Amino acid sequence: SPIAPAYGQRSQRVAFTLFCRDPFAYDKAETVVDLRGAGGQVPLGSAPVWPAITIGGATDPEVVLFDANNVERARLVLAGTIPAGNPVTLHLRDGSLLDSFGDVPPVVLTGPNLVVSPGMAAGSAGPWPRLVCTGNPVQAEARYARAWQNV
């Protein structure tokens, strides 16, 4: 026969503290911006973004961030040759740089940790900041999800 509990407690109050490493909400759809030629505008939400930038088929490419007034805000320099068949991806959030095989490529990266913030836009509807990849790359794109704060 079952043994009854020694006491009749049916509930217990518990308090949880939740910590959120990333306080932003993100769009479900990813935004892709072509960085070749004159580059592309980076539409933003109300929070900053750190795109993942993929570059292939370029020698000594540079990624340049301009604000909505066409003022240069940051420049990343990748010294070396990046083959078209083995592009590299720079994850700006953590600063990692990997090729398509998951290896560290033989290029040297210099420059600040590039972040695209809403303060670089002319307003909440644009015009937006612009990213450009120099060096005439075969492939150059930025991928990110628009971020929102206080949602």
Side-chain angles (χ1 to χ4, degrees), residues 14-121:
V14 178
F16 289 101
T17 302
L18 302 176
F19 294 98
C20 182
R21 279 188 40 196
D22 188 348
F24 305 132
Y26 294 92
D27 283 355
K28 289 182 180 180
E30 187 173 63
T31 300
V32 179
V33 177
D34 189 349
L35 308 183
R36 295 173 298 170
Q41 288 192 3
V42 181
L44 298 169
S46 60
V49 295
W50 294 263
I53 296 175
T54 302
I55 302 171
T59 299
D60 299 328
E62 297 182 4
V63 177
V64 186
L65 172 63
F66 295 94
D67 65 16
N69 297 315
N70 211 32
V71 175
E72 184 176 319
R73 300 293 289 265
R75 179 180 294 261
L76 295 175
V77 179
L78 286 87
T81 300
I82 302 169
N86 188 15
V88 299
T89 300
L90 171 60
H91 297 275
L92 295 175
R93 186 99 190 210
D94 63 12
S96 66
L97 179 67
L98 300 173
D99 66 15
S100 60
F101 299 111
D103 299 322
V104 177
V107 295
V108 177
L109 174 67
T110 58
N113 188 1
L114 191 146
V115 59
V116 186
S117 72
M120 295 177 188

